[in-house]
Amino acid sequence: MSGAADGQRLFVGGAWVEPDGGHYAVVDPASEETVGWAPEASRDQVHAACAAAREAFGPWSRTSPEERAAVLGRAAEIIGSRFGPYAELAQAETGATTGTARAMQVGVGMARFRRYARVEPAEWAIAPQINEAGPMGKAGVMGALAVRQPVGVVTCITSYNNPWANPAGKIAPALAMGNTVVVKPAPQDPLSVFRMAEALEAAGAPPGVVNVVCGQSAEVGEAAVESPDVDMVSFTGSTAVGRRIAEACGRDMKRQLMELGGKGAALVFDDADLASAVAGIGTTFSFYSGQICTAPTRVLAQRGVYDRLVEQLDGYARRLKVGDPRDKNTVVGPVISAAHRERVESYVELGRKEGAVVVTGGERPPHERGFYVAPTLLADCTNEMRVAREEIFGPVVVVVPFDEEDEGVALANDSDYGLIDYVWSGDVARAFRVARRLRSGGVGINTVGRNMEAPFGGFKKSGVGRDVGSYALHAYSEVQAIVWPG
């Protein structure tokens, strides 16, 4: 059994283990009621999980890609068979609306297991070419293959905004490539990740291939990063924490995949389809209640459309129903915790002090319970304001005016972040031209949608590396060259 009567157990080496540090309450952000009791692992238990993953790595890496894919495929089927209860748990842990919990959390998580159950070639031929004289002093034609080899033991540290899609996006491609994993979920909503481990166990993942440890103490994550048994760390979270993890990895030359903060610029030109722009920018208010690194939170509006865009965003935000995420009419649910609500509110107040105009929001919604933040629109901002430069991670949009294209591009690039930017323009040629000038890992043109086979990752302080699609298989592998006489 994965959970005792008094709380969730850890998953270490194929066994469900009582935590050394006891349990802590997981709180529903909408009701402030206890959802369940999460385990607090000790440093020794985290190291035991890493050692179990190391022991399992050899046998698992030698299984065929087809066998590994079959485990992932069965896991997807098991998740599908338990879809309803899993979605209810995800909603209770995160405060997501019903549609988000079902489609974007459990639904995407299941889809990612299915995606990596599709076997792909792990090697490819390198085109023949003249081989210049090498160390043996002989030139000629050499045959060569580039072969993907698993990295080894991967620590996966995941974010609180999506306890299904984010962990599945790490675990599934890592396992598909023959790695073993130690998963350290966010302390706010870890219970869903243990359900994922249950599904993988039932699907036939051998002991030690998947391990899940958890805890509120920073010591848990530190131990999962610094263990000598770990070869790679895959992290999603803040840039500040990512920097500390990168420093620890650098000391031992551990591989990294970092998906960090964002402050997405949305350039809206005079000729843009305003309805499309407003709907896209408006996802910042509704999708995960703005707790998403890809959100278009920093709107750069050309002067000719600035007033109309602010007016329409104002109207859009005011129409959104804020409240119980289980209500089918709710569009904006709570943020993850009381502490995070206070953080978001402090940024709104900071914006006021900096000279921004609070067009919409700025007041706490009148709910007796739950960590709600009203959709908030800050206009007449400058790119120097902290609300325009720092990641707020809530339903807050700032609007900055600009005049010419070059100025808009310069403002967009004047940021520590570079994850995903957006361009709205009726001139498609200009939109693509601007996109190529933006220093970000991705650009959406007249859309906030994503192609899940396209590489995902950031420039600058938004991260290191690329994942999703085939790029995730590359991320969780090393490339080995094999050569022979031609």
Side-chain angles (χ1 to χ4, degrees):
M1 293 291 289
S2 65
D6 56 349
Q8 172 68 52
R9 294 188 177 102
L10 304 167
F11 190 52
V12 177
W16 295 96
V17 180
E18 286 292 340
D20 289 343
H23 294 85
Y24 66 91
V26 176
V27 175
D28 184 332
S31 66
E32 302 185 43
E33 296 177 353
T34 298
V35 175
W37 296 90
E40 185 74 36
S42 66
R43 180 176 290 271
D44 286 346
Q45 287 181 312
V46 176
H47 285 167
C50 297
R54 171 59 61 199
E55 183 177 354
F57 170 66
W60 178 250
S61 66
R62 291 190 294 271
T63 61
S64 69
E66 291 78 10
E67 185 176 346
R68 298 195 295 264
V71 171
L72 299 177
R74 289 193 295 270
E77 292 177 2
I78 292 166
I79 293 168
S81 71
R82 304 170 183 174
F83 193 93
Y86 283 172
E88 289 175 3
L89 176 60
Q91 181 175 55
E93 286 193 285
T94 66
T97 61
T98 300
T100 296
R102 293 181 64 84
M104 301 307 299
Q105 294 187 342
V106 182
V108 171
M110 180 172 63
R112 286 181 166 172
F113 278 103
R114 286 177 176 159
R115 162 64 180 85
Y116 294 105
R118 188 169 76 227
V119 178
E120 296 189 18
E123 58 191 41
W124 60 96
I126 298 172
Q129 53 188 291
I130 297 298
N131 184 51
E132 301 294 339
M136 304 304 293
K138 182 178 180 181
V141 176
M142 299 287 287
L145 280 178
V147 180
R148 286 202 300 266
Q149 298 277 21
V151 177
V153 176
V154 182
T155 286
C156 303
I157 302 179
T158 65
S159 59
Y160 70 71
N161 58 349
N162 196 324
W164 276 93
N166 186 256
K170 299 179 186 297
I171 296 168
L175 296 186
M177 275 307 307
N179 302 283
T180 55
V181 298
V182 176
V183 188
K184 192 276 177 188
Q188 296 93 333
D189 51 7
L191 301 178
S192 289
V193 181
F194 286 102
R195 303 290 82 73
M196 194 180 302
E198 285 180 346
L200 283 161
E201 180 187 32
V209 168
V210 178
N211 306 269
V212 184
V213 294
C214 174
Q216 292 181 302
S217 169
E219 179 182 75
V220 177
E222 290 169 356
V225 168
E226 295 172 354
S227 166
D229 287 311
V230 170
D231 301 292
M232 175 180 174
V233 177
S234 177
F235 171 70
T236 298
S238 73
T239 296
V241 175
R243 183 182 290 112
R244 294 199 294 272
I245 290 174
E247 289 170 352
C249 288
R251 288 192 288 271
D252 294 315
M253 300 303 292
K254 293 179 181 180
R255 302 303 182 256
Q256 305 166 44
L257 180 60
M258 298 280 183
E259 198 261 283
L260 307 177
K263 191 70 176 179
L267 285 89
V268 182
F269 287 94
D270 287 347
D271 60 354
D273 178 339
L274 279 194
S276 171
V278 169
I281 295 164
T283 61
T284 301
F285 301 131
S286 57
F287 192 44
Y288 299 130
S289 301
Q291 300 168 113
I292 181 75
C293 54
T294 59
T297 59
R298 185 169 54 112
V299 178
L300 307 176
Q302 199 165 17
R303 294 279 183 187
V305 77
Y306 178 86
D307 289 338
R308 285 184 292 144
L309 181 62
V310 170
E311 180 182 359
Q312 291 187 29
L313 283 170
D314 176 23
Y316 185 95
R318 291 178 187 275
R319 290 192 296 271
L320 301 178
K321 178 179 172 54
V322 180
D324 183 355
R326 295 169 180 82
D327 184 335
K328 65 179 182 180
N329 296 315
T330 292
V331 179
V332 183
V335 296
I336 193 69
S337 66
H340 190 58
R341 176 179 59 186
E342 291 175 3
R343 179 180 184 273
V344 175
E345 290 175 339
S346 72
Y347 268 107
V348 176
E349 184 58 30
L350 174 63
R352 280 196 178 99
K353 293 178 180 177
E354 290 180 312
V357 175
V358 181
V359 179
T360 307
E363 303 293 337
R364 185 175 294 185
H367 298 290
E368 292 185 3
R369 302 183 69 82
F371 311 128
Y372 295 98
V373 176
T376 301
L377 179 65
L378 303 179
D380 295 349
C381 297
T382 68
N383 214 45
E384 290 72 37
M385 293 178 177
R386 285 179 59 192
V387 290
R389 303 197 69 82
E390 299 177 12
E391 186 176 38
I392 298 174
F393 221 59
V396 181
V397 170
V398 303
V399 189
V400 178
F402 72 92
D403 291 303
E404 301 299 330
E405 178 181 311
D406 286 349
E407 181 190 3
V409 171
L411 288 170
N413 288 334
D414 181 17
S415 173
D416 289 339
Y417 299 107
L419 187 56
I420 294 188
D421 289 339
Y422 304 87
V423 180
W424 271 275
S425 173
D427 183 340
V428 176
R430 174 167 69 173
F432 274 87
R433 179 177 69 242
V434 169
R436 292 297 301 272
R437 297 177 65 191
L438 296 176
R439 298 290 296 164
S440 63
V443 181
I445 294 178
N446 296 326
T447 183
V448 293
R450 282 178 57 196
N451 182 322
M452 298 308 293
E453 289 297 311
F456 179 72
F459 286 15
K460 298 182 281 188
K461 294 181 181 179
S462 283
V464 177
R466 297 294 182 270
D467 68 356
V468 307
S470 297
Y471 297 90
L473 297 174
H474 299 167
Y476 293 100
S477 63
E478 297 276 25
V479 177
Q480 180 185 62
I482 301 177
V483 300
W484 64 91

